[in-house]
Amino acid sequence: MASCDDSFDIIVVGAGPVGLSFAASLAHSQLKLAVVEGQSLERLASPAFDGREIALTHASIGIFRELGAWDVISASDKSPLQGARVLNGSSPFALCFDAPAGSAEPLGVLVPNCQIRDALFKIIRLRGHARLLCGQSVVRATNSRQGAVITLSNGRQLSARLLVAADSRFSATRNLLGIGADINRLGNSMLICRVRHERPHHQIAIEWFDHHQTVAMLPLAQGVSSLLLTLPSNVADGLLALDDELFLSELTKRCRGRLGNMNLASQRYIYPLATTWAHRFRAPSAALIGDAAIGMHPVTAHGFNIGLGGQKQLARGIETAWRDRRDIADPDMLHRYESRLHLSAAPLYHATNILVGLYSSEHPAARLARHVGLRLGQHLPFVRHGIAAMLRR
């Protein structure tokens, strides 16, 4: 039988941004929480810059405000996104998305992933409602209607009424719970770096689908952008191995000089791409959130926003059950969470995969289809305005 110190209401596995957000969402409850994380406490407390910029929608910013995390992030780390342009190959035509005329609000805000992690960690430590168990992984998990029990890599056993997996799109906890997932390793990698450049970006993001590559330019401070190259993994690895001078030369050529002369403003980072969709988002006394449930392709920049909204839905269901003195792992509540997440995420997930397939294909018919699609989207206001509204959500 587990001791009081090893028994919790909820155990969260994974202290990434979504896992930490979920723990913070329950800060005002009296629930006893544990957060299990493979990284050391030192690394969790001082997250290193990893190249990734997260495009937050207004709904996500609202969630961070509720958690108290938004004001913890420095204003200098918040880059407003005033618009976006989608380009296809060498065509000068661009599909345009802009903030509504007369609106004082941008489409969204770009924030470094490490600053989001740092802010959420500070909120968790400040409120002190969650026990952080760092430097440990979960090696065994059992679950039933009566609760869940996990075994850590140091042999310690923990029990909980509800186990929540938030440990990445390759979630070991998901596997231990016996939940399968569709995993698509795309064979491509995303190479990311910050660059200083001579031409202004006007706070406009550019997504450019070119032959055998996708280029994204995300506007940060004046004269600085985050540059993302999506390439076949072997090509991306080759670029990563180049010295700075050759790399910048190759980068300028691939960007066709759109930003003018460039200089590196950060290290280079590389991330192999894969998408995942769990076959279920729940099990008896267990739930999946964030990438453990849905791992989106980054091309639409919506994966984190979906994960953030999903954890809020689950936290609200738990808080309502707790307030009404009902079971916090109530099967009906978990079913509602799963259904709502599926309903909100499935259309965007599948549309994104179709988009990636269309814009990565070099078949002449695909090239024509994407050119026609961009033109059609620009001239059908309900399509363009609908997508822009989705970006602002």
Side-chain angles (χ1 to χ4, degrees), residues 233-280:
S233 293
N234 62 327
V235 178
D237 289 339
L239 279 181
L240 188 67
L242 295 177
D243 64 35
D244 288 354
E245 185 177 350
L246 285 175
F247 176 73
L248 282 169
S249 174
E250 182 69 17
L251 204 59
T252 301
K253 183 168 62 177
R254 287 180 175 275
C255 294
R256 301 191 190 180
R258 289 183 182 275
L259 295 175
N261 292 325
M262 293 185 291
N263 291 298
L264 283 174
S266 77
Q267 293 177 241
R268 290 168 263 171
Y269 303 85
I270 194 165
Y271 296 97
L273 296 180
T275 61
T276 57
W277 182 277
H279 296 165
R280 292 177 287 133

mmCIF file of all heavy atoms in Angstrom, residues 233-280:
data_model
loop_
_atom_site.group_PDB
_atom_site.id
_atom_site.type_symbol
_atom_site.label_atom_id
_atom_site.label_comp_id
_atom_site.label_asym_id
_atom_site.label_seq_id
_atom_site.Cartn_x
_atom_site.Cartn_y
_atom_site.Cartn_z
ATOM 1 N N SER A 233 15.648 15.089 -44.391
ATOM 2 C CA SER A 233 16.522 15.041 -43.215
ATOM 3 C C SER A 233 18.004 14.982 -43.576
ATOM 4 O O SER A 233 18.838 15.621 -42.912
ATOM 5 C CB SER A 233 16.150 13.855 -42.327
ATOM 6 O OG SER A 233 14.867 14.062 -41.754
ATOM 7 N N ASN A 234 18.349 14.252 -44.639
ATOM 8 C CA ASN A 234 19.776 14.167 -44.998
ATOM 9 C C ASN A 234 20.308 15.504 -45.494
ATOM 10 O O ASN A 234 21.465 15.869 -45.240
ATOM 11 C CB ASN A 234 19.999 13.072 -46.045
ATOM 12 C CG ASN A 234 19.259 13.333 -47.344
ATOM 13 O OD1 ASN A 234 18.174 13.901 -47.353
ATOM 14 N ND2 ASN A 234 19.824 12.898 -48.463
ATOM 15 N N VAL A 235 19.459 16.284 -46.172
ATOM 16 C CA VAL A 235 19.862 17.608 -46.649
ATOM 17 C C VAL A 235 20.018 18.560 -45.469
ATOM 18 O O VAL A 235 20.982 19.333 -45.385
ATOM 19 C CB VAL A 235 18.842 18.165 -47.667
ATOM 20 C CG1 VAL A 235 19.241 19.561 -48.123
ATOM 21 C CG2 VAL A 235 18.718 17.230 -48.867
ATOM 22 N N ALA A 236 19.057 18.502 -44.539
ATOM 23 C CA ALA A 236 19.128 19.360 -43.354
ATOM 24 C C ALA A 236 20.371 19.040 -42.522
ATOM 25 O O ALA A 236 21.051 19.951 -42.031
ATOM 26 C CB ALA A 236 17.863 19.180 -42.511
ATOM 27 N N ASP A 237 20.685 17.768 -42.387
ATOM 28 C CA ASP A 237 21.891 17.378 -41.640
ATOM 29 C C ASP A 237 23.149 17.933 -42.306
ATOM 30 O O ASP A 237 24.089 18.369 -41.626
ATOM 31 C CB ASP A 237 21.980 15.856 -41.538
ATOM 32 C CG ASP A 237 20.931 15.266 -40.612
ATOM 33 O OD1 ASP A 237 20.405 16.010 -39.765
ATOM 34 O OD2 ASP A 237 20.632 14.062 -40.744
ATOM 35 N N GLY A 238 23.154 17.916 -43.650
ATOM 36 C CA GLY A 238 24.303 18.461 -44.371
ATOM 37 C C GLY A 238 24.464 19.952 -44.150
ATOM 38 O O GLY A 238 25.593 20.448 -43.967
ATOM 39 N N LEU A 239 23.347 20.679 -44.126
ATOM 40 C CA LEU A 239 23.412 22.122 -43.879
ATOM 41 C C LEU A 239 23.889 22.417 -42.457
ATOM 42 O O LEU A 239 24.662 23.354 -42.230
ATOM 43 C CB LEU A 239 22.030 22.753 -44.088
ATOM 44 C CG LEU A 239 21.593 23.066 -45.518
ATOM 45 C CD1 LEU A 239 20.213 23.694 -45.506
ATOM 46 C CD2 LEU A 239 22.583 23.980 -46.207
ATOM 47 N N LEU A 240 23.429 21.613 -41.518
ATOM 48 C CA LEU A 240 23.818 21.815 -40.129
ATOM 49 C C LEU A 240 25.330 21.666 -39.952
ATOM 50 O O LEU A 240 25.941 22.333 -39.120
ATOM 51 C CB LEU A 240 23.086 20.809 -39.242
ATOM 52 C CG LEU A 240 23.229 20.985 -37.733
ATOM 53 C CD1 LEU A 240 22.544 22.266 -37.267
ATOM 54 C CD2 LEU A 240 22.652 19.783 -36.989
ATOM 55 N N ALA A 241 25.936 20.819 -40.769
ATOM 56 C CA ALA A 241 27.370 20.536 -40.638
ATOM 57 C C ALA A 241 28.262 21.610 -41.266
ATOM 58 O O ALA A 241 29.469 21.641 -41.024
ATOM 59 C CB ALA A 241 27.687 19.181 -41.262
ATOM 60 N N LEU A 242 27.679 22.520 -42.070
ATOM 61 C CA LEU A 242 28.479 23.553 -42.731
ATOM 62 C C LEU A 242 28.997 24.575 -41.726
ATOM 63 O O LEU A 242 28.363 24.815 -40.685
ATOM 64 C CB LEU A 242 27.639 24.285 -43.783
ATOM 65 C CG LEU A 242 27.153 23.468 -44.992
ATOM 66 C CD1 LEU A 242 26.267 24.346 -45.874
ATOM 67 C CD2 LEU A 242 28.320 22.902 -45.797
ATOM 68 N N ASP A 243 30.136 25.200 -42.036
ATOM 69 C CA ASP A 243 30.588 26.302 -41.187
ATOM 70 C C ASP A 243 29.670 27.504 -41.418
ATOM 71 O O ASP A 243 28.872 27.524 -42.358
ATOM 72 C CB ASP A 243 32.062 26.644 -41.443
ATOM 73 C CG ASP A 243 32.336 27.167 -42.863
ATOM 74 O OD1 ASP A 243 31.476 27.873 -43.437
ATOM 75 O OD2 ASP A 243 33.417 26.863 -43.395
ATOM 76 N N ASP A 244 29.771 28.513 -40.556
ATOM 77 C CA ASP A 244 28.826 29.631 -40.588
ATOM 78 C C ASP A 244 28.802 30.344 -41.929
ATOM 79 O O ASP A 244 27.730 30.692 -42.449
ATOM 80 C CB ASP A 244 29.161 30.639 -39.477
ATOM 81 C CG ASP A 244 28.813 30.114 -38.095
ATOM 82 O OD1 ASP A 244 28.210 29.024 -38.013
ATOM 83 O OD2 ASP A 244 29.129 30.799 -37.107
ATOM 84 N N GLU A 245 29.962 30.568 -42.519
ATOM 85 C CA GLU A 245 30.027 31.308 -43.779
ATOM 86 C C GLU A 245 29.324 30.556 -44.907
ATOM 87 O O GLU A 245 28.522 31.137 -45.644
ATOM 88 C CB GLU A 245 31.487 31.584 -44.144
ATOM 89 C CG GLU A 245 31.639 32.467 -45.377
ATOM 90 C CD GLU A 245 33.097 32.795 -45.690
ATOM 91 O OE1 GLU A 245 33.975 32.495 -44.844
ATOM 92 O OE2 GLU A 245 33.337 33.335 -46.782
ATOM 93 N N LEU A 246 29.620 29.270 -45.029
ATOM 94 C CA LEU A 246 28.971 28.468 -46.077
ATOM 95 C C LEU A 246 27.476 28.317 -45.804
ATOM 96 O O LEU A 246 26.661 28.347 -46.723
ATOM 97 C CB LEU A 246 29.636 27.099 -46.167
ATOM 98 C CG LEU A 246 31.001 27.042 -46.843
ATOM 99 C CD1 LEU A 246 31.601 25.647 -46.742
ATOM 100 C CD2 LEU A 246 30.880 27.457 -48.321
ATOM 101 N N PHE A 247 27.132 28.173 -44.532
ATOM 102 C CA PHE A 247 25.722 28.041 -44.185
ATOM 103 C C PHE A 247 24.939 29.289 -44.566
ATOM 104 O O PHE A 247 23.860 29.217 -45.169
ATOM 105 C CB PHE A 247 25.575 27.770 -42.686
ATOM 106 C CG PHE A 247 24.138 27.720 -42.220
ATOM 107 C CD1 PHE A 247 23.332 26.642 -42.524
ATOM 108 C CD2 PHE A 247 23.600 28.769 -41.488
ATOM 109 C CE1 PHE A 247 22.006 26.595 -42.100
ATOM 110 C CE2 PHE A 247 22.284 28.740 -41.056
ATOM 111 C CZ PHE A 247 21.493 27.640 -41.368
ATOM 112 N N LEU A 248 25.471 30.469 -44.240
ATOM 113 C CA LEU A 248 24.787 31.717 -44.582
ATOM 114 C C LEU A 248 24.674 31.895 -46.089
ATOM 115 O O LEU A 248 23.661 32.389 -46.594
ATOM 116 C CB LEU A 248 25.522 32.909 -43.958
ATOM 117 C CG LEU A 248 25.273 33.135 -42.462
ATOM 118 C CD1 LEU A 248 26.255 34.153 -41.911
ATOM 119 C CD2 LEU A 248 23.833 33.587 -42.223
ATOM 120 N N SER A 249 25.700 31.502 -46.806
ATOM 121 C CA SER A 249 25.656 31.578 -48.265
ATOM 122 C C SER A 249 24.540 30.692 -48.815
ATOM 123 O O SER A 249 23.762 31.098 -49.694
ATOM 124 C CB SER A 249 27.011 31.158 -48.850
ATOM 125 O OG SER A 249 26.949 31.104 -50.260
ATOM 126 N N GLU A 250 24.440 29.469 -48.271
ATOM 127 C CA GLU A 250 23.402 28.536 -48.709
ATOM 128 C C GLU A 250 22.012 29.043 -48.306
ATOM 129 O O GLU A 250 21.050 28.946 -49.071
ATOM 130 C CB GLU A 250 23.659 27.157 -48.098
ATOM 131 C CG GLU A 250 22.680 26.079 -48.500
ATOM 132 C CD GLU A 250 22.799 25.656 -49.963
ATOM 133 O OE1 GLU A 250 23.843 25.963 -50.583
ATOM 134 O OE2 GLU A 250 21.843 25.039 -50.471
ATOM 135 N N LEU A 251 21.926 29.629 -47.129
ATOM 136 C CA LEU A 251 20.664 30.152 -46.634
ATOM 137 C C LEU A 251 20.174 31.303 -47.519
ATOM 138 O O LEU A 251 18.992 31.366 -47.888
ATOM 139 C CB LEU A 251 20.851 30.635 -45.191
ATOM 140 C CG LEU A 251 19.633 30.705 -44.282
ATOM 141 C CD1 LEU A 251 18.988 29.341 -44.138
ATOM 142 C CD2 LEU A 251 20.038 31.245 -42.915
ATOM 143 N N THR A 252 21.065 32.207 -47.853
ATOM 144 C CA THR A 252 20.707 33.346 -48.701
ATOM 145 C C THR A 252 20.216 32.871 -50.058
ATOM 146 O O THR A 252 19.223 33.386 -50.599
ATOM 147 C CB THR A 252 21.922 34.276 -48.878
ATOM 148 O OG1 THR A 252 22.350 34.725 -47.592
ATOM 149 C CG2 THR A 252 21.557 35.490 -49.718
ATOM 150 N N LYS A 253 20.879 31.857 -50.589
ATOM 151 C CA LYS A 253 20.481 31.315 -51.899
ATOM 152 C C LYS A 253 19.106 30.658 -51.817
ATOM 153 O O LYS A 253 18.254 30.868 -52.691
ATOM 154 C CB LYS A 253 21.525 30.292 -52.361
ATOM 155 C CG LYS A 253 21.257 29.711 -53.736
ATOM 156 C CD LYS A 253 22.465 28.945 -54.260
ATOM 157 C CE LYS A 253 22.797 27.763 -53.377
ATOM 158 N NZ LYS A 253 23.929 26.957 -53.912
ATOM 159 N N ARG A 254 18.868 29.900 -50.758
ATOM 160 C CA ARG A 254 17.583 29.223 -50.619
ATOM 161 C C ARG A 254 16.443 30.210 -50.365
ATOM 162 O O ARG A 254 15.297 29.959 -50.747
ATOM 163 C CB ARG A 254 17.647 28.204 -49.473
ATOM 164 C CG ARG A 254 18.467 26.965 -49.825
ATOM 165 C CD ARG A 254 18.505 25.962 -48.672
ATOM 166 N NE ARG A 254 19.199 24.737 -49.068
ATOM 167 C CZ ARG A 254 18.626 23.715 -49.693
ATOM 168 N NH1 ARG A 254 17.332 23.764 -49.974
ATOM 169 N NH2 ARG A 254 19.324 22.648 -50.010
ATOM 170 N N CYS A 255 16.747 31.327 -49.717
ATOM 171 C CA CYS A 255 15.721 32.347 -49.467
ATOM 172 C C CYS A 255 15.600 33.342 -50.626
ATOM 173 O O CYS A 255 14.776 34.264 -50.557
ATOM 174 C CB CYS A 255 16.037 33.106 -48.176
ATOM 175 S SG CYS A 255 15.934 32.107 -46.688
ATOM 176 N N ARG A 256 16.444 33.154 -51.655
ATOM 177 C CA ARG A 256 16.457 34.033 -52.833
ATOM 178 C C ARG A 256 16.590 35.504 -52.450
ATOM 179 O O ARG A 256 15.979 36.400 -53.066
ATOM 180 C CB ARG A 256 15.204 33.812 -53.685
ATOM 181 C CG ARG A 256 15.065 32.365 -54.175
ATOM 182 C CD ARG A 256 13.988 32.206 -55.208
ATOM 183 N NE ARG A 256 13.719 30.801 -55.474
ATOM 184 C CZ ARG A 256 12.810 30.365 -56.343
ATOM 185 N NH1 ARG A 256 12.082 31.251 -57.029
ATOM 186 N NH2 ARG A 256 12.623 29.082 -56.531
ATOM 187 N N GLY A 257 17.332 35.771 -51.404
ATOM 188 C CA GLY A 257 17.631 37.141 -51.002
ATOM 189 C C GLY A 257 16.450 37.933 -50.492
ATOM 190 O O GLY A 257 16.509 39.162 -50.429
ATOM 191 N N ARG A 258 15.371 37.263 -50.084
ATOM 192 C CA ARG A 258 14.165 37.983 -49.651
ATOM 193 C C ARG A 258 14.425 38.908 -48.464
ATOM 194 O O ARG A 258 13.766 39.929 -48.313
ATOM 195 C CB ARG A 258 13.050 36.997 -49.302
ATOM 196 C CG ARG A 258 12.453 36.306 -50.521
ATOM 197 C CD ARG A 258 11.306 35.386 -50.126
ATOM 198 N NE ARG A 258 10.776 34.696 -51.290
ATOM 199 C CZ ARG A 258 9.851 35.186 -52.110
ATOM 200 N NH1 ARG A 258 9.369 36.390 -51.883
ATOM 201 N NH2 ARG A 258 9.424 34.494 -53.143
ATOM 202 N N LEU A 259 15.346 38.523 -47.593
ATOM 203 C CA LEU A 259 15.652 39.343 -46.423
ATOM 204 C C LEU A 259 16.927 40.157 -46.605
ATOM 205 O O LEU A 259 17.354 40.853 -45.690
ATOM 206 C CB LEU A 259 15.784 38.461 -45.185
ATOM 207 C CG LEU A 259 14.519 37.722 -44.732
ATOM 208 C CD1 LEU A 259 14.824 36.790 -43.569
ATOM 209 C CD2 LEU A 259 13.417 38.700 -44.353
ATOM 210 N N GLY A 260 17.524 40.087 -47.783
ATOM 211 C CA GLY A 260 18.786 40.782 -48.022
ATOM 212 C C GLY A 260 19.936 40.036 -47.378
ATOM 213 O O GLY A 260 19.867 38.829 -47.129
ATOM 214 N N ASN A 261 21.011 40.729 -47.074
ATOM 215 C CA ASN A 261 22.160 40.111 -46.414
ATOM 216 C C ASN A 261 21.776 39.672 -45.007
ATOM 217 O O ASN A 261 21.057 40.382 -44.295
ATOM 218 C CB ASN A 261 23.329 41.094 -46.343
ATOM 219 C CG ASN A 261 23.897 41.387 -47.723
ATOM 220 O OD1 ASN A 261 23.926 40.503 -48.592
ATOM 221 N ND2 ASN A 261 24.340 42.614 -47.935
ATOM 222 N N MET A 262 22.291 38.506 -44.604
ATOM 223 C CA MET A 262 21.922 37.943 -43.303
ATOM 224 C C MET A 262 23.165 37.566 -42.506
ATOM 225 O O MET A 262 24.200 37.213 -43.076
ATOM 226 C CB MET A 262 21.050 36.694 -43.495
ATOM 227 C CG MET A 262 19.681 36.982 -44.097
ATOM 228 S SD MET A 262 18.633 35.496 -44.162
ATOM 229 C CE MET A 262 19.487 34.539 -45.429
ATOM 230 N N ASN A 263 23.020 37.651 -41.196
ATOM 231 C CA ASN A 263 24.043 37.169 -40.271
ATOM 232 C C ASN A 263 23.366 36.314 -39.213
ATOM 233 O O ASN A 263 22.217 36.584 -38.821
ATOM 234 C CB ASN A 263 24.768 38.333 -39.577
ATOM 235 C CG ASN A 263 25.629 39.120 -40.548
ATOM 236 O OD1 ASN A 263 26.567 38.583 -41.121
ATOM 237 N ND2 ASN A 263 25.295 40.392 -40.731
ATOM 238 N N LEU A 264 24.060 35.301 -38.734
ATOM 239 C CA LEU A 264 23.489 34.442 -37.703
ATOM 240 C C LEU A 264 23.336 35.205 -36.392
ATOM 241 O O LEU A 264 24.234 35.923 -35.972
ATOM 242 C CB LEU A 264 24.371 33.218 -37.482
ATOM 243 C CG LEU A 264 24.264 32.109 -38.536
ATOM 244 C CD1 LEU A 264 25.302 31.023 -38.276
ATOM 245 C CD2 LEU A 264 22.865 31.495 -38.538
ATOM 246 N N ALA A 265 22.179 35.031 -35.757
ATOM 247 C CA ALA A 265 21.925 35.655 -34.460
ATOM 248 C C ALA A 265 21.707 34.599 -33.379
ATOM 249 O O ALA A 265 21.335 34.934 -32.249
ATOM 250 C CB ALA A 265 20.707 36.574 -34.544
ATOM 251 N N SER A 266 21.911 33.328 -33.725
ATOM 252 C CA SER A 266 21.782 32.238 -32.753
ATOM 253 C C SER A 266 22.502 31.019 -33.299
ATOM 254 O O SER A 266 22.974 31.009 -34.439
ATOM 255 C CB SER A 266 20.309 31.887 -32.500
ATOM 256 O OG SER A 266 19.786 31.117 -33.571
ATOM 257 N N GLN A 267 22.552 29.991 -32.475
ATOM 258 C CA GLN A 267 23.001 28.700 -32.971
ATOM 259 C C GLN A 267 21.959 28.147 -33.942
ATOM 260 O O GLN A 267 20.862 28.688 -34.083
ATOM 261 C CB GLN A 267 23.160 27.710 -31.811
ATOM 262 C CG GLN A 267 24.262 28.014 -30.840
ATOM 263 C CD GLN A 267 24.259 26.992 -29.714
ATOM 264 O OE1 GLN A 267 24.080 27.328 -28.551
ATOM 265 N NE2 GLN A 267 24.458 25.721 -30.051
ATOM 266 N N ARG A 268 22.321 27.028 -34.580
ATOM 267 C CA ARG A 268 21.373 26.320 -35.432
ATOM 268 C C ARG A 268 20.818 25.119 -34.671
ATOM 269 O O ARG A 268 21.531 24.473 -33.913
ATOM 270 C CB ARG A 268 22.064 25.848 -36.713
ATOM 271 C CG ARG A 268 22.426 26.989 -37.645
ATOM 272 C CD ARG A 268 23.364 26.514 -38.745
ATOM 273 N NE ARG A 268 24.765 26.788 -38.433
ATOM 274 C CZ ARG A 268 25.791 26.324 -39.144
ATOM 275 N NH1 ARG A 268 25.568 25.542 -40.190
ATOM 276 N NH2 ARG A 268 27.026 26.632 -38.812
ATOM 277 N N TYR A 269 19.548 24.833 -34.901
ATOM 278 C CA TYR A 269 18.882 23.716 -34.232
ATOM 279 C C TYR A 269 18.152 22.885 -35.282
ATOM 280 O O TYR A 269 17.658 23.423 -36.281
ATOM 281 C CB TYR A 269 17.881 24.225 -33.188
ATOM 282 C CG TYR A 269 18.500 25.118 -32.151
ATOM 283 C CD1 TYR A 269 18.666 26.487 -32.391
ATOM 284 C CD2 TYR A 269 18.945 24.604 -30.941
ATOM 285 C CE1 TYR A 269 19.250 27.313 -31.445
ATOM 286 C CE2 TYR A 269 19.523 25.428 -29.986
ATOM 287 C CZ TYR A 269 19.677 26.776 -30.244
ATOM 288 O OH TYR A 269 20.259 27.591 -29.296
ATOM 289 N N ILE A 270 18.074 21.592 -35.048
ATOM 290 C CA ILE A 270 17.412 20.726 -36.016
ATOM 291 C C ILE A 270 16.441 19.800 -35.301
ATOM 292 O O ILE A 270 16.736 19.292 -34.214
ATOM 293 C CB ILE A 270 18.455 19.917 -36.833
ATOM 294 C CG1 ILE A 270 17.806 19.274 -38.059
ATOM 295 C CG2 ILE A 270 19.178 18.891 -35.978
ATOM 296 C CD1 ILE A 270 18.798 18.780 -39.089
ATOM 297 N N TYR A 271 15.246 19.619 -35.893
ATOM 298 C CA TYR A 271 14.205 18.788 -35.305
ATOM 299 C C TYR A 271 13.607 17.888 -36.380
ATOM 300 O O TYR A 271 12.975 18.376 -37.319
ATOM 301 C CB TYR A 271 13.102 19.657 -34.698
ATOM 302 C CG TYR A 271 13.575 20.512 -33.556
ATOM 303 C CD1 TYR A 271 13.928 21.853 -33.757
ATOM 304 C CD2 TYR A 271 13.709 19.983 -32.274
ATOM 305 C CE1 TYR A 271 14.384 22.631 -32.703
ATOM 306 C CE2 TYR A 271 14.169 20.763 -31.220
ATOM 307 C CZ TYR A 271 14.496 22.081 -31.442
ATOM 308 O OH TYR A 271 14.957 22.858 -30.405
ATOM 309 N N PRO A 272 13.801 16.569 -36.274
ATOM 310 C CA PRO A 272 13.129 15.641 -37.196
ATOM 311 C C PRO A 272 11.612 15.765 -37.017
ATOM 312 O O PRO A 272 11.121 15.929 -35.890
ATOM 313 C CB PRO A 272 13.633 14.266 -36.762
ATOM 314 C CG PRO A 272 14.893 14.540 -36.010
ATOM 315 C CD PRO A 272 14.680 15.858 -35.330
ATOM 316 N N LEU A 273 10.878 15.693 -38.113
ATOM 317 C CA LEU A 273 9.439 15.921 -38.063
ATOM 318 C C LEU A 273 8.657 14.610 -38.061
ATOM 319 O O LEU A 273 8.971 13.676 -38.798
ATOM 320 C CB LEU A 273 9.005 16.767 -39.262
ATOM 321 C CG LEU A 273 9.560 18.186 -39.316
ATOM 322 C CD1 LEU A 273 9.041 18.910 -40.558
ATOM 323 C CD2 LEU A 273 9.187 18.967 -38.062
ATOM 324 N N ALA A 274 7.645 14.564 -37.223
ATOM 325 C CA ALA A 274 6.721 13.440 -37.170
ATOM 326 C C ALA A 274 5.382 13.957 -36.672
ATOM 327 O O ALA A 274 5.328 14.901 -35.871
ATOM 328 C CB ALA A 274 7.237 12.337 -36.239
ATOM 329 N N THR A 275 4.302 13.376 -37.164
ATOM 330 C CA THR A 275 2.976 13.709 -36.651
ATOM 331 C C THR A 275 2.418 12.487 -35.920
ATOM 332 O O THR A 275 2.733 11.349 -36.267
ATOM 333 C CB THR A 275 2.005 14.121 -37.775
ATOM 334 O OG1 THR A 275 1.857 13.031 -38.695
ATOM 335 C CG2 THR A 275 2.529 15.337 -38.519
ATOM 336 N N THR A 276 1.601 12.746 -34.909
ATOM 337 C CA THR A 276 0.988 11.643 -34.156
ATOM 338 C C THR A 276 -0.463 11.965 -33.833
ATOM 339 O O THR A 276 -0.839 13.130 -33.643
ATOM 340 C CB THR A 276 1.734 11.373 -32.828
ATOM 341 O OG1 THR A 276 1.756 12.563 -32.042
ATOM 342 C CG2 THR A 276 3.155 10.916 -33.077
ATOM 343 N N TRP A 277 -1.247 10.902 -33.781
ATOM 344 C CA TRP A 277 -2.651 11.016 -33.359
ATOM 345 C C TRP A 277 -2.957 9.771 -32.530
ATOM 346 O O TRP A 277 -2.965 8.660 -33.060
ATOM 347 C CB TRP A 277 -3.575 11.100 -34.570
ATOM 348 C CG TRP A 277 -5.025 11.259 -34.202
ATOM 349 C CD1 TRP A 277 -5.911 10.278 -33.866
ATOM 350 C CD2 TRP A 277 -5.763 12.493 -34.110
ATOM 351 N NE1 TRP A 277 -7.146 10.803 -33.580
ATOM 352 C CE2 TRP A 277 -7.077 12.162 -33.726
ATOM 353 C CE3 TRP A 277 -5.428 13.822 -34.323
ATOM 354 C CZ2 TRP A 277 -8.071 13.131 -33.550
ATOM 355 C CZ3 TRP A 277 -6.423 14.793 -34.142
ATOM 356 C CH2 TRP A 277 -7.722 14.449 -33.770
ATOM 357 N N ALA A 278 -3.162 9.946 -31.237
ATOM 358 C CA ALA A 278 -3.458 8.810 -30.362
ATOM 359 C C ALA A 278 -4.817 8.217 -30.715
ATOM 360 O O ALA A 278 -5.757 8.944 -31.058
ATOM 361 C CB ALA A 278 -3.427 9.247 -28.906
ATOM 362 N N HIS A 279 -4.912 6.900 -30.626
ATOM 363 C CA HIS A 279 -6.183 6.236 -30.950
ATOM 364 C C HIS A 279 -7.259 6.561 -29.928
ATOM 365 O O HIS A 279 -8.455 6.518 -30.231
ATOM 366 C CB HIS A 279 -5.969 4.724 -31.012
ATOM 367 C CG HIS A 279 -5.044 4.299 -32.104
ATOM 368 N ND1 HIS A 279 -4.468 3.053 -32.184
ATOM 369 C CD2 HIS A 279 -4.585 4.984 -33.199
ATOM 370 C CE1 HIS A 279 -3.698 2.979 -33.256
ATOM 371 N NE2 HIS A 279 -3.743 4.139 -33.882
ATOM 372 N N ARG A 280 -6.850 6.873 -28.733
ATOM 373 C CA ARG A 280 -7.777 7.329 -27.686
ATOM 374 C C ARG A 280 -7.081 8.422 -26.891
ATOM 375 O O ARG A 280 -5.863 8.436 -26.791
ATOM 376 C CB ARG A 280 -8.164 6.182 -26.738
ATOM 377 C CG ARG A 280 -9.023 5.104 -27.373
ATOM 378 C CD ARG A 280 -9.305 3.981 -26.385
ATOM 379 N NE ARG A 280 -8.125 3.155 -26.141
ATOM 380 C CZ ARG A 280 -7.692 2.781 -24.942
ATOM 381 N NH1 ARG A 280 -8.331 3.185 -23.845
ATOM 382 N NH2 ARG A 280 -6.628 2.021 -24.804
#
